[in-house]
Amino acid sequence: MELEYPVDFKPILRYVDVIPAEQEGQPVFLLRDPLGFIDELVVVPQYLAFLLALMNGQNDLRDLQSEATKQFGQVIPLEEIVKIVRFLDEKGLLWSKTFEEIKEKAYSKWFSYPFRAMAHANSAYPLSAAEAKFFVEDILKLGSSEDVKPPKVLIAPHIDIKAAAKSYAESYNRFKIPPGSRVIILGVGHHLDLPFSVLTKDVATPFGLIKNDRGGLFFLRTSKKLEIFPDHIAHRLEHSIEFQALFLHYILKDQFMVLPVLVGPMPTLFENPELTEKFAEGLAQLMEDENTYLVLGIDFCHLGLRYGDPFEVSEEHAKQALKSDENLLNLVFNGTKDEFLEKAKQSLPLKVCGLSTLYLTKLIMDKLRAKGELKLYHQEFVPFGQGSAVSVASAGYEV
């Protein structure tokens, strides 16, 4: 058999979500592309997990054959290794020319969409408007219904809606803003490899389309002359903005505009300091308008076995996590930049997935120089996986 790859080919498996499952009574893994370049869930037997782990660019086909032979206790022909590599390559799960072609087609398709479609309807929340209405109303009943002045900055979770229903309710029951308002949403770009990406499309929810803030986009691009990395494909499947859009659209109907922004990991912000500062300045200038509001879709600490810790979470972990979250929030609105960064550094073992979003918010608030008060409405330590939990908060900065 003539090999399609040279024997010194060193396959590299792309980053994928690995989901344990069962198919026809056999244990398998479902490989899912978190960026959505590949729509299909790719099924592989669990006994091949060791081989997938070795596809890291350091092992060639002979190395993989040797390890497979050791693993199974019999000689595995090189052709069998090639079949597995070819299968993963054809599915777009390896870094290769094949994937680059799939990626180019996926981007062309994504850019052709007139709006950002719902990615989590019928899983995280209902698709139909009638069912979604009842779903959101039931969530909101769990929170305070007091009639208060809406905060200028709202902090809400982005974890599974049912898991943190109380926090979603405490946030959005307080966010009855005036008709015609602009809402800037900062969401966590879990798979974004840029400092930020602004979505320039309208946003679909079960209640229709939320209009994108074309004026805000024009200001950032033209007046501020900013590279906004528009419509990165990471927006396609990202839930951190989608869940906020659901609640906002129900509460505000069609009487607002949205400027959705995914924020990348902290290193991308520090690698582009001038751009990050200029972007924060642009958002701060938009927020000088009294009818412009900021919503953060963030979670905080991720602790326990599911998140790589060698322990199951306890009540003491919960106390420490919630206290750390409160300190971080206070420093965003009441501390110095250096104080925030020091606390952020200390919190790294807690795996705060909203850290970069909080940092960008800190830069915005420093430039805005607003005089207000941070109010912590509600905190939870939400069980999420065996021996694991995620901390979330509902809070607002009221001016």
Side-chain angles (χ1 to χ4, degrees):
M1 174 183 175
E2 184 179 350
L3 298 181
E4 300 173 28
Y5 308 93
V7 292
D8 60 354
F9 175 66
K10 298 179 179 180
I12 303 176
L13 185 70
R14 294 177 51 231
Y15 176 79
V16 293
D17 293 330
V18 181
I19 306 168
E22 191 173 285
Q23 187 177 74
E24 298 179 354
Q26 298 300 315
V28 299
F29 285 126
L30 305 179
L31 306 183
R32 179 176 62 192
D33 182 354
L35 283 175
F37 289 119
I38 315 301
D39 292 323
E40 179 185 1
L41 285 174
V42 178
V43 182
V44 297
Q46 286 193 16
Y47 62 77
L48 290 181
F50 79 97
L51 207 56
L52 300 181
L54 293 172
M55 295 184 188
N56 54 14
Q58 298 179 11
N59 301 291
D60 62 23
L61 298 181
R62 291 290 188 193
D63 296 328
L64 298 180
Q65 179 194 23
S66 175
E67 289 300 320
T69 296
K70 293 177 185 177
Q71 184 77 13
F72 297 116
Q74 62 183 42
V75 175
I76 303 299
L78 189 60
E79 289 83 354
E80 293 302 313
I81 301 299
V82 171
K83 285 181 183 179
I84 297 170
V85 170
R86 184 195 309 124
F87 171 75
L88 295 172
D89 195 358
E90 289 174 348
K91 295 297 184 182
L93 297 182
L94 298 183
W95 288 107
S96 68
K97 182 180 178 182
T98 303
F99 169 64
E100 290 302 321
E101 293 172 353
I102 292 173
K103 179 180 177 181
E104 185 176 343
K105 291 179 182 177
Y107 256 115
S108 296
K109 185 177 180 181
W110 163 248
F111 283 127
S112 71
Y113 292 154
F115 56 85
R116 192 272 185 188
M118 291 173 279
H120 301 280
N122 274 345
S123 56
Y125 58 86
L127 173 62
S128 79
E131 292 181 15
K133 176 179 180 291
F134 288 122
F135 176 80
V136 174
E137 287 175 348
D138 285 344
I139 297 291
L140 295 177
K141 289 175 185 176
L142 301 174
S144 170
S145 59
E146 59 182 319
D147 190 15
V148 297
K149 180 182 178 182
K152 183 72 170 176
V153 182
L154 182 74
I155 290 91
H158 67 230
I159 197 172
D160 177 78
I161 297 173
K162 293 179 181 177
K166 172 73 171 173
S167 289
Y168 280 102
E170 293 293 350
S171 291
Y172 283 102
N173 275 337
R174 292 174 166 85
F175 205 59
K176 298 176 177 65
I177 61 177
S181 294
R182 168 196 291 126
V183 179
I184 301 169
I185 306 177
L186 298 185
V188 176
H190 291 90
H191 304 288
L192 184 65
D193 52 6
L194 298 166
F196 50 82
S197 172
V198 181
L199 184 66
T200 68
K201 303 173 184 287
D202 295 342
V203 179
T205 79
F207 311 114
L209 292 179
I210 303 174
K211 290 298 181 183
N212 196 285
D213 175 29
R214 304 289 191 262
L217 289 170
F218 183 83
F219 170 77
L220 294 175
R221 276 177 153 166
T222 307
S223 297
K224 301 303 294 183
K225 295 181 172 57
L226 275 166
E227 168 58 70
I228 60 172
F229 308 106
D231 301 333
H232 191 288
I233 203 167
H235 282 276
R236 183 178 173 222
L237 296 183
E238 183 57 66
H239 62 280
S240 61
I241 289 175
E242 181 171 336
F243 290 175
Q244 316 315 317
L246 174 70
F247 284 94
L248 289 169
H249 207 182
Y250 172 77
I251 293 169
L252 305 175
K253 312 306 178 190
D254 293 325
Q255 300 178 350
F256 75 110
M257 302 170 293
V258 68
L259 188 62
V261 182
L262 287 181
V263 184
M266 285 287 272
T268 62
L269 300 182
F270 284 116
E271 290 163 5
N272 301 273
E274 292 184 10
L275 178 60
T276 300
E277 289 281 350
K278 194 174 179 182
F279 185 62
E281 182 181 274
L283 295 181
Q285 289 175 345
L286 289 176
M287 288 189 65
E288 289 174 356
D289 172 60
E290 64 177 8
N291 287 332
T292 295
Y293 297 83
L294 181 65
V295 170
L296 275 62
I298 60 173
D299 295 334
F300 287 83
C301 303
H302 290 60
L303 297 174
L305 303 176
R306 176 173 180 166
Y307 303 108
D309 293 315
F311 56 78
E312 294 192 7
V313 293
S314 64
E315 289 187 11
E316 185 58 31
H317 290 123
K319 291 178 183 178
Q320 293 175 0
L322 297 181
K323 185 61 179 177
S324 176
D325 298 348
E326 184 178 0
N327 290 339
L328 267 177
L329 280 172
N330 276 318
L331 290 174
V332 169
F333 298 98
N334 301 313
T336 67
K337 176 180 171 181
D338 287 343
E339 287 172 336
F340 173 83
L341 289 175
E342 178 58 31
K343 178 59 182 174
K345 183 178 179 181
Q346 294 171 9
S347 69
L348 289 178
L350 302 178
K351 299 175 286 298
V352 179
C353 78
L355 203 56
S356 57
T357 308
L358 288 171
Y359 176 59
L360 181 59
T361 303
K362 174 62 184 167
L363 298 181
I364 294 170
M365 299 312 296
D366 284 354
K367 296 177 187 304
L368 194 58
R369 295 181 181 177
K371 301 296 182 183
E373 179 184 4
L374 173 68
K375 291 188 178 180
L376 190 58
Y377 308 135
H378 181 70
Q379 286 183 283
E380 293 182 79
F381 198 51
V382 181
F384 212 70
Q386 181 181 359
S388 307
V390 177
S391 62
V392 297
S394 167
Y397 185 70
E398 303 176 6
V399 297

